[in-house]
Structures are given as C-alpha cells and as structure tokens.
C-alpha cells in the first residue's frame, strides 16, 4: 500500500525556518517525481515545488524561489522541503504528492507563520 | 504561467443530478489535465488524469473530456458522497497550476 506521511509542521515566527519531511512507503520511491502542494486555510490548492527522480531537476513556484529548497534522499525514501525566511502568507497545510499526476497524497502537515 | 479558469465556483445540486464543471487553460496543455476531489479536512484525491482517463478504483459516474485548452468534468448522477470541492490542475508546464475549485452543495 502506497503511503506518504508528512511531518515537521508547526508554529514559527515570521522570518523563521522549518524543514518538512515526507516519508514514503509501498512503492519504489526512486522511480517517481515528487511534489509539494500547499493549501492556505479556506483557500484553494497551490503547487509549490517538484523534484526529479534522481534529484537532478527541481522546480518552484515564483513565490517561494530563493526561500524554499526541495530535496530527497532515495536511500531513506524521504522527501524534504526546507523553508527559510517564512512569511505569514506561507501559512498552509503542506502536502507531498507522488508523481506529476499526483496520484497519491499524504495527509498534510500544518505550517503556521505568525507575524 | 498557465492560468486555469474553472467554473462555476459553486454549484447547488440534488442527488441524481448530472453535474458539469469546466476548466479553461490560458494555452494548450497537451491534455496534461487532472481532476481532483477534496473533502473537508482531507487530502485531494485524483479522479481523472490526462483529461479523460479514470483513475483506478474511481466510480464510472465520473468522467472527463476535452483537449487543447477546454476541458469538462462530469458526474453523471450525483451521489451524496460526491459532495466535495473539485479542482482541475495542469501539469504541462511548471509551475503546475490549479483551477480555483468548484464547491458542490446539496439543494
């Protein structure tokens, strides 16, 4: 069974940092692009970033470029999102999702940035 | 960036109704178009991929069609468990972008 489990969310002050993790199981992690998608409270979905199977390509939405870094460790079946210089508008539930078809999603982890 | 215009933003429906949601892309997305269902407090669930392909395990009352820039999502006969918010998403070009969502409500 495919499972994605996010962790690392929490309350942080504006300008602070957090590192999110996504633990994958039930499939060959190294065979898939992986994505981060977020959803601000009461709002729609926003794609944040993705990373190629071997980590050689990474893409970001403009609003997080230079502040967020996506990475992966295929040996640990894990995806990460390092978030620096956090802003109030980064407050959201962050989901990891498998493949560019986003066929499987984690349950999400809430990041709250206080100003 | 590719803009995805989804309509309507909300829809008041009845059980058994045929429901149609449209999504228009600002440029050709080569049918790289997904439809998701999201219930409150839950992660989105993929229903349709590549514009018209039904994800495994998804009931056949859900369907998708369209090509180029114009796409349609249909529920042939609405069931109570289908009350949710639905999103389209293009994954032809980064940044991948979502429609604004369509919230279904019961009349």
């Amino acid at each position: 069974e495919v499972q994605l489990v996010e962790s690392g969310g929490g309350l942080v002050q504006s300008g602070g940092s957090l590192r999110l993790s996504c633990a994958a199981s039930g499939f060959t992690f190294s065979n898939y692009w992986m994505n981060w998608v977020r959803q601000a409270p009461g709002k729609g979905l926003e794609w944040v970033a993705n990373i190629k199977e071997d980590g050689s390509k990474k893409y970001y939405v403009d609003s997080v470029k230079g502040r967020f870094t996506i990475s992966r460790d295929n040996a640990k079946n894990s995806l990460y999102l390092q978030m620096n210089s956090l802003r109030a508008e980064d407050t959201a539930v962050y989901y990891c999702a498998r493949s560019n078809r986003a066929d499987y999603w984690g349950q999400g982890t809430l990041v709250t940035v206080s100003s | 960036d590719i803009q995805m215009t989804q309509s309507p933003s909300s829809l008041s429906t009845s059980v058994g109704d045929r429901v149609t949601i449209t999504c228009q892309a600002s440029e050709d997305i080569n049918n790289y178009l997904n439809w998701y269902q999201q219930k409150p407090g839950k992660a989105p669930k993929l229903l349709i991929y590549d514009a018209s392909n039904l994800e495994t395990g998804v009931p056949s009352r859900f369907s998708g069609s369209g090509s180029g820039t114009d796409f349609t999502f249909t529920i042939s006969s609405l069931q109570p468990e289908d009350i949710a918010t639905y999103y389209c998403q293009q994954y032809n070009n980064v940044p991948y972008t979502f429609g604004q969502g369509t919230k279904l409500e019961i009349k």
Side-chain angles (χ1 to χ4, degrees), chain B residues 71-106:
Chain B
F71 301 89
T72 300
F73 172 80
T74 301
I75 307 173
S76 60
S77 177
L78 188 78
Q79 300 302 300
E81 60 267 30
D82 301 336
I83 295 304
T85 300
Y86 292 83
Y87 295 92
C88 62
Q89 182 212 19
Q90 68 81 20
Y91 64 107
N92 186 57
N93 285 355
V94 289
Y96 299 160
T97 42
F98 289 87
Q100 303 92 319
T102 297
K103 185 175 183 179
L104 298 189
E105 298 168 331
I106 291 289

PDB file of all heavy atoms in Angstrom, chain B residues 71-106:
ATOM      1  N   PHE B  71     -11.702  21.948 -21.181  1.00  0.00           N
ATOM      2  CA  PHE B  71     -11.901  20.649 -20.563  1.00  0.00           C
ATOM      3  C   PHE B  71     -13.177  20.651 -19.731  1.00  0.00           C
ATOM      4  O   PHE B  71     -13.587  21.686 -19.202  1.00  0.00           O
ATOM      5  CB  PHE B  71     -10.699  20.300 -19.682  1.00  0.00           C
ATOM      6  CG  PHE B  71      -9.418  20.269 -20.454  1.00  0.00           C
ATOM      7  CD1 PHE B  71      -8.657  21.425 -20.600  1.00  0.00           C
ATOM      8  CD2 PHE B  71      -8.990  19.107 -21.077  1.00  0.00           C
ATOM      9  CE1 PHE B  71      -7.491  21.413 -21.338  1.00  0.00           C
ATOM     10  CE2 PHE B  71      -7.834  19.081 -21.818  1.00  0.00           C
ATOM     11  CZ  PHE B  71      -7.083  20.234 -21.955  1.00  0.00           C
ATOM     12  N   THR B  72     -13.763  19.452 -19.613  1.00  0.00           N
ATOM     13  CA  THR B  72     -15.021  19.294 -18.890  1.00  0.00           C
ATOM     14  C   THR B  72     -14.924  18.085 -17.984  1.00  0.00           C
ATOM     15  O   THR B  72     -14.396  17.038 -18.375  1.00  0.00           O
ATOM     16  CB  THR B  72     -16.190  19.109 -19.862  1.00  0.00           C
ATOM     17  OG1 THR B  72     -16.281  20.258 -20.715  1.00  0.00           O
ATOM     18  CG2 THR B  72     -17.503  18.951 -19.117  1.00  0.00           C
ATOM     19  N   PHE B  73     -15.456  18.249 -16.783  1.00  0.00           N
ATOM     20  CA  PHE B  73     -15.562  17.164 -15.803  1.00  0.00           C
ATOM     21  C   PHE B  73     -17.036  16.936 -15.543  1.00  0.00           C
ATOM     22  O   PHE B  73     -17.795  17.902 -15.346  1.00  0.00           O
ATOM     23  CB  PHE B  73     -14.832  17.567 -14.530  1.00  0.00           C
ATOM     24  CG  PHE B  73     -15.029  16.627 -13.368  1.00  0.00           C
ATOM     25  CD1 PHE B  73     -14.302  15.452 -13.274  1.00  0.00           C
ATOM     26  CD2 PHE B  73     -15.934  16.926 -12.357  1.00  0.00           C
ATOM     27  CE1 PHE B  73     -14.471  14.595 -12.190  1.00  0.00           C
ATOM     28  CE2 PHE B  73     -16.112  16.081 -11.279  1.00  0.00           C
ATOM     29  CZ  PHE B  73     -15.372  14.906 -11.200  1.00  0.00           C
ATOM     30  N   THR B  74     -17.449  15.663 -15.536  1.00  0.00           N
ATOM     31  CA  THR B  74     -18.873  15.355 -15.388  1.00  0.00           C
ATOM     32  C   THR B  74     -19.087  14.266 -14.338  1.00  0.00           C
ATOM     33  O   THR B  74     -18.329  13.293 -14.290  1.00  0.00           O
ATOM     34  CB  THR B  74     -19.465  14.883 -16.729  1.00  0.00           C
ATOM     35  OG1 THR B  74     -19.295  15.919 -17.704  1.00  0.00           O
ATOM     36  CG2 THR B  74     -20.942  14.572 -16.591  1.00  0.00           C
ATOM     37  N   ILE B  75     -20.095  14.469 -13.532  1.00  0.00           N
ATOM     38  CA  ILE B  75     -20.623  13.405 -12.668  1.00  0.00           C
ATOM     39  C   ILE B  75     -21.995  13.082 -13.251  1.00  0.00           C
ATOM     40  O   ILE B  75     -22.876  13.939 -13.300  1.00  0.00           O
ATOM     41  CB  ILE B  75     -20.755  13.855 -11.199  1.00  0.00           C
ATOM     42  CG1 ILE B  75     -19.425  14.426 -10.689  1.00  0.00           C
ATOM     43  CG2 ILE B  75     -21.201  12.683 -10.330  1.00  0.00           C
ATOM     44  CD1 ILE B  75     -19.526  15.052  -9.293  1.00  0.00           C
ATOM     45  N   SER B  76     -22.168  11.851 -13.695  1.00  0.00           N
ATOM     46  CA  SER B  76     -23.385  11.522 -14.461  1.00  0.00           C
ATOM     47  C   SER B  76     -24.639  11.503 -13.580  1.00  0.00           C
ATOM     48  O   SER B  76     -25.721  11.900 -14.021  1.00  0.00           O
ATOM     49  CB  SER B  76     -23.215  10.183 -15.165  1.00  0.00           C
ATOM     50  OG  SER B  76     -22.991   9.168 -14.206  1.00  0.00           O
ATOM     51  N   SER B  77     -24.489  11.068 -12.345  1.00  0.00           N
ATOM     52  CA  SER B  77     -25.622  11.015 -11.425  1.00  0.00           C
ATOM     53  C   SER B  77     -25.072  11.226 -10.020  1.00  0.00           C
ATOM     54  O   SER B  77     -24.493  10.309  -9.434  1.00  0.00           O
ATOM     55  CB  SER B  77     -26.346   9.673 -11.532  1.00  0.00           C
ATOM     56  OG  SER B  77     -27.404   9.613 -10.597  1.00  0.00           O
ATOM     57  N   LEU B  78     -25.254  12.412  -9.494  1.00  0.00           N
ATOM     58  CA  LEU B  78     -24.624  12.796  -8.234  1.00  0.00           C
ATOM     59  C   LEU B  78     -25.081  11.910  -7.087  1.00  0.00           C
ATOM     60  O   LEU B  78     -26.283  11.664  -6.906  1.00  0.00           O
ATOM     61  CB  LEU B  78     -24.948  14.257  -7.921  1.00  0.00           C
ATOM     62  CG  LEU B  78     -24.202  14.844  -6.724  1.00  0.00           C
ATOM     63  CD1 LEU B  78     -22.773  15.191  -7.116  1.00  0.00           C
ATOM     64  CD2 LEU B  78     -24.934  16.075  -6.188  1.00  0.00           C
ATOM     65  N   GLN B  79     -24.138  11.434  -6.316  1.00  0.00           N
ATOM     66  CA  GLN B  79     -24.413  10.661  -5.113  1.00  0.00           C
ATOM     67  C   GLN B  79     -24.079  11.506  -3.880  1.00  0.00           C
ATOM     68  O   GLN B  79     -23.264  12.423  -3.965  1.00  0.00           O
ATOM     69  CB  GLN B  79     -23.587   9.373  -5.113  1.00  0.00           C
ATOM     70  CG  GLN B  79     -23.879   8.467  -6.289  1.00  0.00           C
ATOM     71  CD  GLN B  79     -25.346   8.077  -6.348  1.00  0.00           C
ATOM     72  OE1 GLN B  79     -25.883   7.466  -5.422  1.00  0.00           O
ATOM     73  NE2 GLN B  79     -26.023   8.425  -7.448  1.00  0.00           N
ATOM     74  N   PRO B  80     -24.676  11.203  -2.740  1.00  0.00           N
ATOM     75  CA  PRO B  80     -24.419  12.026  -1.535  1.00  0.00           C
ATOM     76  C   PRO B  80     -22.935  12.117  -1.178  1.00  0.00           C
ATOM     77  O   PRO B  80     -22.472  13.174  -0.727  1.00  0.00           O
ATOM     78  CB  PRO B  80     -25.213  11.289  -0.439  1.00  0.00           C
ATOM     79  CG  PRO B  80     -26.293  10.565  -1.169  1.00  0.00           C
ATOM     80  CD  PRO B  80     -25.701  10.173  -2.494  1.00  0.00           C
ATOM     81  N   GLU B  81     -22.202  11.037  -1.421  1.00  0.00           N
ATOM     82  CA  GLU B  81     -20.780  11.031  -1.069  1.00  0.00           C
ATOM     83  C   GLU B  81     -19.930  11.865  -2.028  1.00  0.00           C
ATOM     84  O   GLU B  81     -18.726  12.036  -1.794  1.00  0.00           O
ATOM     85  CB  GLU B  81     -20.243   9.595  -1.022  1.00  0.00           C
ATOM     86  CG  GLU B  81     -20.342   8.815  -2.300  1.00  0.00           C
ATOM     87  CD  GLU B  81     -21.617   7.989  -2.393  1.00  0.00           C
ATOM     88  OE1 GLU B  81     -22.650   8.401  -1.818  1.00  0.00           O
ATOM     89  OE2 GLU B  81     -21.566   6.931  -3.065  1.00  0.00           O
ATOM     90  N   ASP B  82     -20.539  12.391  -3.076  1.00  0.00           N
ATOM     91  CA  ASP B  82     -19.794  13.222  -4.034  1.00  0.00           C
ATOM     92  C   ASP B  82     -19.748  14.690  -3.614  1.00  0.00           C
ATOM     93  O   ASP B  82     -19.085  15.497  -4.288  1.00  0.00           O
ATOM     94  CB  ASP B  82     -20.421  13.126  -5.430  1.00  0.00           C
ATOM     95  CG  ASP B  82     -20.447  11.704  -5.961  1.00  0.00           C
ATOM     96  OD1 ASP B  82     -19.611  10.886  -5.515  1.00  0.00           O
ATOM     97  OD2 ASP B  82     -21.302  11.417  -6.816  1.00  0.00           O
ATOM     98  N   ILE B  83     -20.433  15.042  -2.558  1.00  0.00           N
ATOM     99  CA  ILE B  83     -20.393  16.427  -2.085  1.00  0.00           C
ATOM    100  C   ILE B  83     -18.987  16.727  -1.599  1.00  0.00           C
ATOM    101  O   ILE B  83     -18.476  16.094  -0.658  1.00  0.00           O
ATOM    102  CB  ILE B  83     -21.428  16.664  -0.983  1.00  0.00           C
ATOM    103  CG1 ILE B  83     -22.836  16.500  -1.547  1.00  0.00           C
ATOM    104  CG2 ILE B  83     -21.258  18.061  -0.373  1.00  0.00           C
ATOM    105  CD1 ILE B  83     -23.155  17.373  -2.736  1.00  0.00           C
ATOM    106  N   ALA B  84     -18.344  17.679  -2.278  1.00  0.00           N
ATOM    107  CA  ALA B  84     -16.925  17.965  -2.076  1.00  0.00           C
ATOM    108  C   ALA B  84     -16.576  19.189  -2.912  1.00  0.00           C
ATOM    109  O   ALA B  84     -17.441  19.772  -3.575  1.00  0.00           O
ATOM    110  CB  ALA B  84     -16.070  16.769  -2.514  1.00  0.00           C
ATOM    111  N   THR B  85     -15.319  19.544  -2.877  1.00  0.00           N
ATOM    112  CA  THR B  85     -14.788  20.567  -3.776  1.00  0.00           C
ATOM    113  C   THR B  85     -13.922  19.875  -4.824  1.00  0.00           C
ATOM    114  O   THR B  85     -13.138  18.974  -4.493  1.00  0.00           O
ATOM    115  CB  THR B  85     -13.975  21.612  -2.995  1.00  0.00           C
ATOM    116  OG1 THR B  85     -14.825  22.248  -2.032  1.00  0.00           O
ATOM    117  CG2 THR B  85     -13.427  22.687  -3.935  1.00  0.00           C
ATOM    118  N   TYR B  86     -14.063  20.311  -6.066  1.00  0.00           N
ATOM    119  CA  TYR B  86     -13.349  19.688  -7.182  1.00  0.00           C
ATOM    120  C   TYR B  86     -12.395  20.709  -7.806  1.00  0.00           C
ATOM    121  O   TYR B  86     -12.733  21.897  -7.950  1.00  0.00           O
ATOM    122  CB  TYR B  86     -14.349  19.180  -8.227  1.00  0.00           C
ATOM    123  CG  TYR B  86     -15.159  18.019  -7.691  1.00  0.00           C
ATOM    124  CD1 TYR B  86     -16.286  18.242  -6.911  1.00  0.00           C
ATOM    125  CD2 TYR B  86     -14.770  16.703  -7.927  1.00  0.00           C
ATOM    126  CE1 TYR B  86     -17.017  17.191  -6.378  1.00  0.00           C
ATOM    127  CE2 TYR B  86     -15.497  15.642  -7.406  1.00  0.00           C
ATOM    128  CZ  TYR B  86     -16.613  15.897  -6.628  1.00  0.00           C
ATOM    129  OH  TYR B  86     -17.318  14.847  -6.099  1.00  0.00           O
ATOM    130  N   TYR B  87     -11.206  20.235  -8.142  1.00  0.00           N
ATOM    131  CA  TYR B  87     -10.171  21.086  -8.732  1.00  0.00           C
ATOM    132  C   TYR B  87      -9.647  20.467 -10.012  1.00  0.00           C
ATOM    133  O   TYR B  87      -9.441  19.249 -10.089  1.00  0.00           O
ATOM    134  CB  TYR B  87      -8.970  21.235  -7.786  1.00  0.00           C
ATOM    135  CG  TYR B  87      -9.248  21.959  -6.495  1.00  0.00           C
ATOM    136  CD1 TYR B  87      -9.617  21.256  -5.353  1.00  0.00           C
ATOM    137  CD2 TYR B  87      -9.103  23.345  -6.403  1.00  0.00           C
ATOM    138  CE1 TYR B  87      -9.858  21.913  -4.152  1.00  0.00           C
ATOM    139  CE2 TYR B  87      -9.341  24.013  -5.212  1.00  0.00           C
ATOM    140  CZ  TYR B  87      -9.726  23.289  -4.102  1.00  0.00           C
ATOM    141  OH  TYR B  87      -9.954  23.945  -2.909  1.00  0.00           O
ATOM    142  N   CYS B  88      -9.389  21.309 -11.003  1.00  0.00           N
ATOM    143  CA  CYS B  88      -8.590  20.890 -12.142  1.00  0.00           C
ATOM    144  C   CYS B  88      -7.150  21.358 -11.917  1.00  0.00           C
ATOM    145  O   CYS B  88      -6.908  22.277 -11.133  1.00  0.00           O
ATOM    146  CB  CYS B  88      -9.132  21.456 -13.447  1.00  0.00           C
ATOM    147  SG  CYS B  88      -9.130  23.270 -13.567  1.00  0.00           S
ATOM    148  N   GLN B  89      -6.214  20.717 -12.578  1.00  0.00           N
ATOM    149  CA  GLN B  89      -4.803  21.098 -12.495  1.00  0.00           C
ATOM    150  C   GLN B  89      -4.109  20.733 -13.790  1.00  0.00           C
ATOM    151  O   GLN B  89      -4.293  19.628 -14.301  1.00  0.00           O
ATOM    152  CB  GLN B  89      -4.106  20.360 -11.347  1.00  0.00           C
ATOM    153  CG  GLN B  89      -2.643  20.754 -11.171  1.00  0.00           C
ATOM    154  CD  GLN B  89      -1.763  19.633 -10.654  1.00  0.00           C
ATOM    155  OE1 GLN B  89      -2.114  18.457 -10.727  1.00  0.00           O
ATOM    156  NE2 GLN B  89      -0.608  19.979 -10.104  1.00  0.00           N
ATOM    157  N   GLN B  90      -3.309  21.678 -14.298  1.00  0.00           N
ATOM    158  CA  GLN B  90      -2.484  21.367 -15.473  1.00  0.00           C
ATOM    159  C   GLN B  90      -1.085  20.990 -15.007  1.00  0.00           C
ATOM    160  O   GLN B  90      -0.547  21.592 -14.064  1.00  0.00           O
ATOM    161  CB  GLN B  90      -2.462  22.530 -16.464  1.00  0.00           C
ATOM    162  CG  GLN B  90      -1.745  23.792 -16.013  1.00  0.00           C
ATOM    163  CD  GLN B  90      -0.228  23.746 -16.165  1.00  0.00           C
ATOM    164  OE1 GLN B  90       0.305  22.945 -16.940  1.00  0.00           O
ATOM    165  NE2 GLN B  90       0.473  24.610 -15.429  1.00  0.00           N
ATOM    166  N   TYR B  91      -0.506  19.999 -15.673  1.00  0.00           N
ATOM    167  CA  TYR B  91       0.895  19.664 -15.384  1.00  0.00           C
ATOM    168  C   TYR B  91       1.694  19.547 -16.682  1.00  0.00           C
ATOM    169  O   TYR B  91       2.590  18.734 -16.824  1.00  0.00           O
ATOM    170  CB  TYR B  91       1.021  18.432 -14.486  1.00  0.00           C
ATOM    171  CG  TYR B  91       0.524  17.127 -15.043  1.00  0.00           C
ATOM    172  CD1 TYR B  91       1.417  16.141 -15.436  1.00  0.00           C
ATOM    173  CD2 TYR B  91      -0.832  16.852 -15.126  1.00  0.00           C
ATOM    174  CE1 TYR B  91       0.978  14.925 -15.922  1.00  0.00           C
ATOM    175  CE2 TYR B  91      -1.278  15.640 -15.606  1.00  0.00           C
ATOM    176  CZ  TYR B  91      -0.373  14.682 -16.008  1.00  0.00           C
ATOM    177  OH  TYR B  91      -0.811  13.480 -16.488  1.00  0.00           O
ATOM    178  N   ASN B  92       1.348  20.433 -17.613  1.00  0.00           N
ATOM    179  CA  ASN B  92       2.109  20.513 -18.858  1.00  0.00           C
ATOM    180  C   ASN B  92       3.380  21.340 -18.680  1.00  0.00           C
ATOM    181  O   ASN B  92       4.444  21.013 -19.214  1.00  0.00           O
ATOM    182  CB  ASN B  92       1.240  21.125 -19.950  1.00  0.00           C
ATOM    183  CG  ASN B  92       1.912  21.099 -21.309  1.00  0.00           C
ATOM    184  OD1 ASN B  92       2.293  20.044 -21.807  1.00  0.00           O
ATOM    185  ND2 ASN B  92       2.069  22.265 -21.913  1.00  0.00           N
ATOM    186  N   ASN B  93       3.255  22.424 -17.937  1.00  0.00           N
ATOM    187  CA  ASN B  93       4.380  23.331 -17.695  1.00  0.00           C
ATOM    188  C   ASN B  93       4.447  23.703 -16.221  1.00  0.00           C
ATOM    189  O   ASN B  93       3.420  23.938 -15.587  1.00  0.00           O
ATOM    190  CB  ASN B  93       4.201  24.636 -18.489  1.00  0.00           C
ATOM    191  CG  ASN B  93       4.477  24.465 -19.965  1.00  0.00           C
ATOM    192  OD1 ASN B  93       4.895  23.412 -20.414  1.00  0.00           O
ATOM    193  ND2 ASN B  93       4.239  25.527 -20.715  1.00  0.00           N
ATOM    194  N   VAL B  94       5.687  23.809 -15.710  1.00  0.00           N
ATOM    195  CA  VAL B  94       5.823  24.362 -14.377  1.00  0.00           C
ATOM    196  C   VAL B  94       5.765  25.885 -14.471  1.00  0.00           C
ATOM    197  O   VAL B  94       6.218  26.453 -15.481  1.00  0.00           O
ATOM    198  CB  VAL B  94       7.147  23.926 -13.695  1.00  0.00           C
ATOM    199  CG1 VAL B  94       7.071  22.448 -13.330  1.00  0.00           C
ATOM    200  CG2 VAL B  94       8.348  24.228 -14.561  1.00  0.00           C
ATOM    201  N   PRO B  95       5.189  26.559 -13.464  1.00  0.00           N
ATOM    202  CA  PRO B  95       4.579  25.961 -12.276  1.00  0.00           C
ATOM    203  C   PRO B  95       3.242  25.304 -12.609  1.00  0.00           C
ATOM    204  O   PRO B  95       2.436  25.873 -13.354  1.00  0.00           O
ATOM    205  CB  PRO B  95       4.374  27.170 -11.361  1.00  0.00           C
ATOM    206  CG  PRO B  95       4.181  28.307 -12.302  1.00  0.00           C
ATOM    207  CD  PRO B  95       5.068  28.028 -13.469  1.00  0.00           C
ATOM    208  N   TYR B  96       3.061  24.099 -12.097  1.00  0.00           N
ATOM    209  CA  TYR B  96       1.764  23.464 -12.276  1.00  0.00           C
ATOM    210  C   TYR B  96       0.717  24.328 -11.591  1.00  0.00           C
ATOM    211  O   TYR B  96       0.962  24.849 -10.498  1.00  0.00           O
ATOM    212  CB  TYR B  96       1.777  22.064 -11.670  1.00  0.00           C
ATOM    213  CG  TYR B  96       2.784  21.141 -12.284  1.00  0.00           C
ATOM    214  CD1 TYR B  96       3.213  20.009 -11.609  1.00  0.00           C
ATOM    215  CD2 TYR B  96       3.329  21.370 -13.546  1.00  0.00           C
ATOM    216  CE1 TYR B  96       4.135  19.138 -12.164  1.00  0.00           C
ATOM    217  CE2 TYR B  96       4.249  20.509 -14.106  1.00  0.00           C
ATOM    218  CZ  TYR B  96       4.650  19.401 -13.414  1.00  0.00           C
ATOM    219  OH  TYR B  96       5.567  18.542 -13.965  1.00  0.00           O
ATOM    220  N   THR B  97      -0.415  24.497 -12.205  1.00  0.00           N
ATOM    221  CA  THR B  97      -1.415  25.416 -11.668  1.00  0.00           C
ATOM    222  C   THR B  97      -2.776  24.746 -11.571  1.00  0.00           C
ATOM    223  O   THR B  97      -3.137  23.910 -12.409  1.00  0.00           O
ATOM    224  CB  THR B  97      -1.514  26.687 -12.531  1.00  0.00           C
ATOM    225  OG1 THR B  97      -1.475  26.323 -13.922  1.00  0.00           O
ATOM    226  CG2 THR B  97      -0.364  27.639 -12.248  1.00  0.00           C
ATOM    227  N   PHE B  98      -3.503  25.154 -10.545  1.00  0.00           N
ATOM    228  CA  PHE B  98      -4.823  24.626 -10.271  1.00  0.00           C
ATOM    229  C   PHE B  98      -5.896  25.645 -10.646  1.00  0.00           C
ATOM    230  O   PHE B  98      -5.653  26.862 -10.622  1.00  0.00           O
ATOM    231  CB  PHE B  98      -4.972  24.335  -8.769  1.00  0.00           C
ATOM    232  CG  PHE B  98      -4.181  23.162  -8.268  1.00  0.00           C
ATOM    233  CD1 PHE B  98      -2.864  23.330  -7.854  1.00  0.00           C
ATOM    234  CD2 PHE B  98      -4.750  21.901  -8.190  1.00  0.00           C
ATOM    235  CE1 PHE B  98      -2.127  22.247  -7.374  1.00  0.00           C
ATOM    236  CE2 PHE B  98      -4.025  20.818  -7.717  1.00  0.00           C
ATOM    237  CZ  PHE B  98      -2.710  20.992  -7.312  1.00  0.00           C
ATOM    238  N   GLY B  99      -7.076  25.118 -10.941  1.00  0.00           N
ATOM    239  CA  GLY B  99      -8.236  25.980 -11.004  1.00  0.00           C
ATOM    240  C   GLY B  99      -8.627  26.419  -9.600  1.00  0.00           C
ATOM    241  O   GLY B  99      -8.099  25.906  -8.616  1.00  0.00           O
ATOM    242  N   GLN B 100      -9.587  27.332  -9.542  1.00  0.00           N
ATOM    243  CA  GLN B 100      -9.970  27.930  -8.262  1.00  0.00           C
ATOM    244  C   GLN B 100     -10.814  26.995  -7.404  1.00  0.00           C
ATOM    245  O   GLN B 100     -11.014  27.253  -6.213  1.00  0.00           O
ATOM    246  CB  GLN B 100     -10.747  29.228  -8.501  1.00  0.00           C
ATOM    247  CG  GLN B 100     -10.015  30.256  -9.322  1.00  0.00           C
ATOM    248  CD  GLN B 100     -10.306  30.142 -10.818  1.00  0.00           C
ATOM    249  OE1 GLN B 100     -10.385  29.047 -11.384  1.00  0.00           O
ATOM    250  NE2 GLN B 100     -10.434  31.278 -11.475  1.00  0.00           N
ATOM    251  N   GLY B 101     -11.323  25.934  -8.017  1.00  0.00           N
ATOM    252  CA  GLY B 101     -12.152  24.979  -7.291  1.00  0.00           C
ATOM    253  C   GLY B 101     -13.641  25.202  -7.512  1.00  0.00           C
ATOM    254  O   GLY B 101     -14.082  26.327  -7.753  1.00  0.00           O
ATOM    255  N   THR B 102     -14.384  24.122  -7.441  1.00  0.00           N
ATOM    256  CA  THR B 102     -15.845  24.153  -7.534  1.00  0.00           C
ATOM    257  C   THR B 102     -16.411  23.415  -6.335  1.00  0.00           C
ATOM    258  O   THR B 102     -16.157  22.220  -6.162  1.00  0.00           O
ATOM    259  CB  THR B 102     -16.354  23.495  -8.820  1.00  0.00           C
ATOM    260  OG1 THR B 102     -15.872  24.216  -9.954  1.00  0.00           O
ATOM    261  CG2 THR B 102     -17.874  23.461  -8.837  1.00  0.00           C
ATOM    262  N   LYS B 103     -17.157  24.125  -5.515  1.00  0.00           N
ATOM    263  CA  LYS B 103     -17.733  23.522  -4.316  1.00  0.00           C
ATOM    264  C   LYS B 103     -19.159  23.089  -4.608  1.00  0.00           C
ATOM    265  O   LYS B 103     -20.006  23.905  -4.986  1.00  0.00           O
ATOM    266  CB  LYS B 103     -17.709  24.516  -3.159  1.00  0.00           C
ATOM    267  CG  LYS B 103     -18.176  23.936  -1.838  1.00  0.00           C
ATOM    268  CD  LYS B 103     -18.027  24.930  -0.708  1.00  0.00           C
ATOM    269  CE  LYS B 103     -18.434  24.334   0.627  1.00  0.00           C
ATOM    270  NZ  LYS B 103     -18.261  25.296   1.741  1.00  0.00           N
ATOM    271  N   LEU B 104     -19.407  21.798  -4.445  1.00  0.00           N
ATOM    272  CA  LEU B 104     -20.751  21.263  -4.649  1.00  0.00           C
ATOM    273  C   LEU B 104     -21.517  21.282  -3.342  1.00  0.00           C
ATOM    274  O   LEU B 104     -20.996  20.881  -2.300  1.00  0.00           O
ATOM    275  CB  LEU B 104     -20.689  19.839  -5.186  1.00  0.00           C
ATOM    276  CG  LEU B 104     -20.026  19.609  -6.528  1.00  0.00           C
ATOM    277  CD1 LEU B 104     -20.262  18.171  -6.967  1.00  0.00           C
ATOM    278  CD2 LEU B 104     -20.506  20.593  -7.570  1.00  0.00           C
ATOM    279  N   GLU B 105     -22.758  21.732  -3.419  1.00  0.00           N
ATOM    280  CA  GLU B 105     -23.621  21.774  -2.239  1.00  0.00           C
ATOM    281  C   GLU B 105     -24.949  21.113  -2.600  1.00  0.00           C
ATOM    282  O   GLU B 105     -25.343  21.104  -3.771  1.00  0.00           O
ATOM    283  CB  GLU B 105     -23.847  23.223  -1.806  1.00  0.00           C
ATOM    284  CG  GLU B 105     -22.569  23.932  -1.400  1.00  0.00           C
ATOM    285  CD  GLU B 105     -22.751  25.435  -1.249  1.00  0.00           C
ATOM    286  OE1 GLU B 105     -23.606  26.012  -1.933  1.00  0.00           O
ATOM    287  OE2 GLU B 105     -22.013  26.027  -0.439  1.00  0.00           O
ATOM    288  N   ILE B 106     -25.607  20.594  -1.593  1.00  0.00           N
ATOM    289  CA  ILE B 106     -26.915  19.969  -1.798  1.00  0.00           C
ATOM    290  C   ILE B 106     -28.011  21.023  -1.653  1.00  0.00           C
ATOM    291  O   ILE B 106     -27.998  21.814  -0.701  1.00  0.00           O
ATOM    292  CB  ILE B 106     -27.147  18.842  -0.773  1.00  0.00           C
ATOM    293  CG1 ILE B 106     -26.213  17.679  -1.055  1.00  0.00           C
ATOM    294  CG2 ILE B 106     -28.599  18.358  -0.801  1.00  0.00           C
ATOM    295  CD1 ILE B 106     -26.556  16.896  -2.302  1.00  0.00           C
TER     296      ILE B 106
END
